[in-house]
Amino acid sequence: MSGAPAVRVRVPATSANLGPAFDCAGLALTRYDEVEVSLLDRGHTEIVAHGEGADTLVCDETHLVARAFRAACAQLGWDAPGLRIEARNAIPQGRGMGSSAAAVVAGALAAWAMCPDVEVVDRDAVLRLTTAMEGHPDNVAACLLGGFTLSWTTDAGASADTLRVHDDVLPVVLVPGGTLSTPLARGLLPDAVPHADAAFTAGRAALLVHALTREPGLLGEATEDRLHQRQRAAAMPDSARLLGRLRAAGHAAVVSGAGPSLLVLTRRHPDDPPGDPDGAVRVREVVDLTPPGWIVLPLGVDPRGAQVTGPAERVSSR
């Protein structure tokens, strides 16, 4: 099958938690990894990586795209032959922007799209599989479905729904030079929290839905959290200090996922100067507060989520 058509999968970066909505909300962003998958006659796996993580990611069967592809094949009862994966990565690795979720979604979608017995990709099944691989649905749901997603789990597995973000919301991601492992960040969370903190955070999570979809002026209050951000501050002191400065200056800033990146939900405002439709003044305010060594990424909200195209032309490995 070395001449078989390939498929390309484009998967967006994501930011999960969004402050108070811990493990149950995510936002798809306009920064993408692109993965091409094709079948080989020989029963082995070839992986070529470009861009983010190209020098550090493993390039064997344990690569997340390959693992997700094989897991989806098992789900489908399809014994795929050899595999070639070429990944062009633009999502920063290990910085709370959903790089691992993007990889598992790309692999699982590619398997569904290439399986000869499948006519339509079942995104609900893909969501359940990728959630099982990731351990929680927030990033994979946003990556798969796009927009602002709410996700939850039942005995039957993960489910999610997506909401349209208000046009005035302008996400900016601040990316530090260092990384932070998600298991380490999760290990810092206590086993129990005070009832008052739980009630406060639940109220802010409900408000967050209204603020992101209907009333962006409430984003400052809606992104307040008592459940996980201050508990993780010791593992990312630079991020914690910058988060404090941004919020003190009136910006709706949160830790992106497990960190150490930050997400700032800037917004257009009636008082913005004429000719500033993209909120450039507010983005500059964020830039001015950001110390040297950080990368500032003004992004949009991706409304579509992961997209499969094919058959695809071969992508040069050079």
Side-chain angles (χ1 to χ4, degrees):
M1 291 189 181
S2 57
V7 297
R8 282 200 186 106
V9 185
R10 189 177 81 154
V11 282
T14 53
S15 182
N17 302 330
L18 310 180
F22 182 70
D23 273 6
C24 64
L27 194 64
L29 302 168
T30 54
R31 193 172 182 91
Y32 305 94
D33 287 352
E34 294 192 0
V35 179
E36 180 181 321
V37 181
S38 53
L39 303 181
L40 303 174
D41 290 326
R42 301 178 304 280
H44 70 285
T45 299
E46 296 178 5
I47 296 176
V48 180
H50 311 272
E52 295 282 348
D55 297 330
T56 57
L57 292 172
V58 295
C59 287
D60 57 27
E61 285 280 359
T62 63
H63 190 284
L64 273 176
V65 175
R67 286 170 52 196
F69 186 94
R70 295 299 184 189
C73 287
Q75 180 186 47
L76 293 164
W78 176 40
D79 185 15
L83 194 63
R84 186 179 193 277
I85 296 169
E86 184 156 2
R88 298 184 179 275
N89 300 327
I91 302 173
Q93 305 277 322
R95 289 176 173 85
M97 292 185 67
S99 60
S100 65
V104 297
V105 168
L109 271 182
W112 272 84
M114 299 180 80
C115 179
D117 299 325
V118 169
E119 294 184 1
V120 178
V121 175
D122 184 344
R123 293 200 174 219
D124 290 338
V126 173
L127 175 63
R128 291 190 293 271
L129 173 65
T130 54
T131 296
M133 293 188 68
E134 280 284 279
H136 41 90
D138 47 6
N139 283 108
V140 291
C143 181
L144 185 63
L145 302 177
F148 168 42
T149 59
L150 301 176
S151 53
W152 62 96
T153 56
T154 67
D155 291 342
S159 296
D161 203 355
T162 185
L163 301 173
R164 187 177 185 277
V165 176
H166 195 286
D167 289 340
D168 287 349
V169 176
L170 305 168
V172 179
V173 180
L174 308 179
V175 185
T179 63
L180 179 65
S181 85
T182 298
L184 173 62
R186 284 187 169 269
L188 296 172
L189 298 180
D191 293 331
V193 297
H195 185 276
D197 287 350
F200 176 94
T201 304
R204 291 305 194 269
L207 181 60
L208 177 68
V209 175
H210 178 62
L212 269 175
T213 59
R214 300 291 297 275
E215 188 50 66
L218 294 173
L219 279 168
E221 293 95 330
T223 52
E224 292 177 325
D225 155 69
R226 294 183 183 175
L227 196 62
H228 65 100
Q229 292 185 142
R230 71 168 182 262
Q231 290 85 344
R232 292 168 161 172
M236 43 183 161
D238 293 341
S239 299
R241 282 191 291 270
L242 179 54
L243 179 64
R245 287 200 300 272
L246 289 163
R247 294 197 65 86
H251 294 285
V254 297
V255 175
S256 182
S261 295
L262 302 181
L263 171 70
V264 188
L265 295 170
T266 63
R267 62 187 179 92
R268 299 180 182 90
H269 191 275
D271 295 335
D272 287 346
D276 183 25
D278 296 324
V281 169
R282 294 179 182 274
V283 173
R284 282 198 297 272
E285 291 174 0
V286 172
V287 172
D288 290 342
L289 289 166
T290 304
W294 289 64
I295 298 172
V296 180
L297 299 176
L299 301 172
V301 176
D302 175 275
R304 301 179 66 193
Q307 297 295 308
V308 179
T309 60
E313 297 178 354
R314 297 298 302 168
V315 175
S316 173
S317 62
R318 292 180 297 174

